[in-house]
């Protein structure tokens, strides 16, 4: 929805055009077409990467499109519970307290669940609000309501930021 050229859809379109241009260059033997295709392919990859980039400062998320979102409180609280739980586990091991180790392990597990609940909430509301923003923006564009169209673009971009932030955190945990 945003006009900053970091759209995933635009990156796919540019990638497809690059492949066609490369094929044409191969058929005609044109090194110019091949070079231009390679540059467009690189640009498409950069656009896709930019469309998935989210800057994060604590619970605040910002995207290149200008979208801003706050994490669901369960994400931060769950992460904190994991940290405290791990500390209790370590301290329990250090001082030989099985009860403290068990309490820490339980708090850590509960924190993981709580964080996951927050991530799923952010992901789901992000997808839902992106659809709302995209559909509302199309309707506003058709009716010529530029103010409403801009409001829907902001809703879309903020929701995309929320969704991408949750996706990034889920991906990090899957890789760990």
């Amino acid at each position: 929805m945003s006009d900053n050229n970091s759209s995933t859809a635009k990156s796919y379109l540019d990638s497809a055009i690059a492949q066609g241009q490369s094929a044409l260059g191969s058929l005609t033997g044109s090194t110019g077409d091949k070079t231009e295709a390679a540059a467009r392919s690189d640009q498409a990859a950069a656009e896709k990467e930019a469309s998935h980039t989210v800057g994060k400062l604590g619970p605040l998320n910002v995207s290149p499109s200008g979208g801003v979102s706050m994490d669901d409180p369960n994400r931060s609280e769950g992460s904190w519970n994991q940290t405290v739980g791990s500390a209790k586990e370590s301290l329990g091991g250090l001082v030989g307290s099985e009860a403290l180790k068990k309490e820490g392990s339980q708090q850590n597990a509960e924190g993981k669940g709580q964080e996951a609940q927050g991530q799923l909430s952010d992901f789901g509301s992000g997808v839902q609000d992106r659809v709302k923003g995209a559909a509302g923006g199309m309707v506003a564009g058709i009716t010529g309501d530029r103010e409403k169209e801009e409001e829907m673009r902001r809703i879309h971009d903020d929701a995309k930021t929320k969704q991408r932030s949750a996706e990034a955190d889920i991906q990090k945990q899957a890789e760990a």
Side-chain angles (χ1 to χ4, degrees):
M1 281 287 303
S2 65
D3 295 329
N4 71 345
N5 293 329
S6 65
S7 163
T8 304
K10 184 176 183 320
S11 73
Y12 290 139
L13 177 62
D14 284 347
S15 181
I17 291 170
Q19 289 177 359
Q21 195 168 22
S22 179
L24 179 65
S26 293
L27 287 172
T28 63
S30 169
T31 56
D33 280 339
K34 289 179 185 179
T35 303
E36 195 174 322
R40 179 166 269 183
S41 182
D42 291 344
Q43 178 184 354
E47 288 169 354
K48 182 176 181 191
E49 179 66 28
S51 77
H52 286 77
T53 301
V54 175
K56 192 166 183 68
L57 181 61
L60 179 68
N61 308 294
V62 182
S63 70
S65 65
V68 177
S69 72
M70 291 291 289
D71 287 347
D72 182 290
N74 280 320
R75 290 173 72 179
S76 299
E77 292 168 15
S79 180
W80 174 252
N81 280 327
Q82 289 174 65
T83 302
V84 171
S86 291
K88 286 180 180 178
E89 283 183 87
S90 296
L91 184 60
L94 188 64
V95 298
S97 171
E98 286 302 316
L100 189 57
K101 278 177 66 175
K102 184 177 179 183
E103 181 184 333
S105 177
Q106 182 178 350
Q107 186 172 359
N108 190 347
E110 288 171 0
K112 287 179 182 180
Q114 186 178 16
E115 185 179 20
Q117 179 184 3
Q119 290 167 341
L120 291 175
S121 175
D122 280 350
F123 180 81
S125 66
V127 170
Q128 183 178 4
D129 288 348
R130 279 181 80 180
V131 170
K132 173 185 172 187
M138 286 191 310
V139 170
I142 291 169
T143 62
D145 186 345
R146 297 296 168 228
E147 192 174 301
K148 186 71 168 179
E149 187 176 12
E150 186 55 38
E151 176 188 345
M152 292 292 111
R153 177 175 288 123
R154 184 191 48 75
I155 288 171
H156 172 274
D157 289 350
D158 289 352
K160 180 178 179 181
T161 302
K162 181 177 274 196
Q163 177 190 344
R164 295 294 192 219
S165 170
E167 287 173 349
D169 285 354
I170 291 166
Q171 183 65 36
K172 279 184 210 169
Q173 289 174 343
E175 292 172 354

